[in-house]
Amino acid sequence: MTIKHLRVDYDKVNPTGSFSPGDVLSGRITVVTSKETRVQCLLVEAEGKAEVTRPGEDGHPPTTRRDRKRYFYFENIILQDKKGDGSEIIGRGKNVYSFTFEIPNRDMPSSYEGKWGKITYSLHTKLTRSIWLVHKSKTEFPFLTKSEFPFVSKSKRIIIGLKEPQYTTRILFLGSGKVTVNVSSEKMGLKQGEAMEVRAEVLNHSRCAVTPKFHLSEKQTFVSGSRRVVHTNDVAFGAETSVVPEGSVQTVARTLSVPPLLPPTFFNCSMMGLQYELKVGHGTLV
C-alpha cells in the first residue's frame, strides 16, 4: 500500500495528560508513504461530544439509535488540492505535520463512560487521495472540567459533590421488630482517594442481632429523547465485624475511603449525570 502509516498524536500539558477548558492542544500528524503520493486533502479535527445509546424497553437490548451533543468542533486543513491539478504531494518516507487548537474556555463535562453513554474528546485525521481512497486515524485525549464540585440537591446523600456534613435516619422493619439507623458524617464533599468518618447509631428493637453494612451507591442517569433511564451499582466498603445485639443501642464508627479511580460527580451534561449516595443497611444474625 502507498500509505503505510497514518497517525495523530498530541503533546501532554501536565503529568496526568489531561486537558481542561482554555488549554492549548498541540500535536502532529505522521504519514509514512512508500513513494511520492498525490493527495486531495489532509486534515485534522478536534471534537468534544456526549453520546447516549437509547436503551431497550422492558428488558430488550439497546437500539442502534444514538443521541449526540457536540461541545466543540474544529477543523484544520493541512494540505488541500484546491485547483485539482494534483499539485499537492506527500514525499516518500516519513512526513510530520504540526497543528494547534485552543479548547474553548467554558463549562464542559469531563471524559466519562457509563452504562448507556459516554463523553469523549478526540482528534481525528483524514487523508483523502480520491473518492475511493480515504485513510483515517483517531486518538482520544482525557478531559477534566474546571468545575470542581457542581451544585447538587441537598436532599441527596452525595459523598462526592456536596461540601457539608449531613445527618439522616433510616427505619427498617423486620419480622421480629424494628431497627432504626441514624447516620451522620463529618463531611460530604470528597475527592478520589480521600476518607471520611461515618457514624451509624443503631437502635435494635428487634429480636435478632444485626450488623451494619456500608455501601457506596453509584447512580448513572441517561436521557435519550423523552426517556430517562437510571442505572445503579452498589459497591460494598468491605466486611463488617460490629454486631449490635438484640434489644440494644450501639454507635458504630467507620472511616470510609473513596476509591482512587472513581469518576467524579457531574451534573453539567444535559444527556447524562453521575452522583453517589452513602447507604447503611444491615445483616441479621438469627
Side-chain angles (χ1 to χ4, degrees), residues 56-71:
E57 298 186 24
D58 300 325
H60 290 84
T63 66
T64 56
R65 178 172 177 178
R66 288 182 172 88
D67 295 330
R68 296 179 177 87
K69 176 181 176 60
R70 179 177 281 176
Y71 295 105

Side-chain angles (χ1 to χ4, degrees), residues 131-152:
I131 192 173
W132 300 282
L133 292 175
V134 179
H135 306 267
K136 298 180 180 180
S137 180
K138 172 187 175 181
T139 185
E140 294 184 3
F141 58 90
F143 184 82
L144 184 64
T145 182
K146 289 182 178 179
S147 302
E148 184 179 4
F149 290 110
F151 173 79
V152 294

Side-chain angles (χ1 to χ4, degrees), residues 138-201:
K138 172 187 175 181
T139 185
E140 294 184 3
F141 58 90
F143 184 82
L144 184 64
T145 182
K146 289 182 178 179
S147 302
E148 184 179 4
F149 290 110
F151 173 79
V152 294
S153 169
K154 293 185 179 181
S155 64
K156 296 293 184 182
R157 287 169 283 166
I158 308 299
I159 71 158
I160 302 180
L162 184 58
K163 285 187 171 179
E164 66 176 42
Q166 190 161 328
Y167 184 89
T168 186
T169 299
R170 186 179 185 186
I171 301 177
L172 308 167
F173 293 94
L174 306 178
S176 58
K178 181 177 71 172
V179 177
T180 303
V181 182
N182 299 318
V183 183
S184 61
S185 63
E186 57 179 1
K187 57 183 178 179
M188 300 305 290
L190 298 173
K191 294 182 179 179
Q192 298 94 325
E194 289 187 342
M196 69 174 177
E197 185 181 66
V198 178
R199 293 180 176 271
E201 182 187 37

Side-chain angles (χ1 to χ4, degrees), residues 243-263:
V243 177
V244 181
E246 58 183 277
S248 65
V249 178
Q250 183 174 320
T251 298
V252 179
R254 177 115 187 248
T255 300
L256 305 178
S257 297
V258 178
L261 299 180
L262 202 67

Side-chain angles (χ1 to χ4, degrees), residues 222-283:
F222 302 95
V223 179
S224 178
S226 60
R227 293 196 63 201
R228 181 177 181 271
V229 181
V230 177
H231 174 72
T232 59
N233 180 39
D234 286 348
V235 180
F237 279 107
E240 291 296 332
T241 57
S242 301
V243 177
V244 181
E246 58 183 277
S248 65
V249 178
Q250 183 174 320
T251 298
V252 179
R254 177 115 187 248
T255 300
L256 305 178
S257 297
V258 178
L261 299 180
L262 202 67
T265 299
F266 69 90
F267 295 89
N268 56 345
C269 177
S270 60
M271 300 179 65
M272 66 189 82
L274 176 66
Q275 64 189 76
Y276 298 91
E277 295 181 1
L278 178 64
K279 293 183 177 180
V280 181
H282 71 87

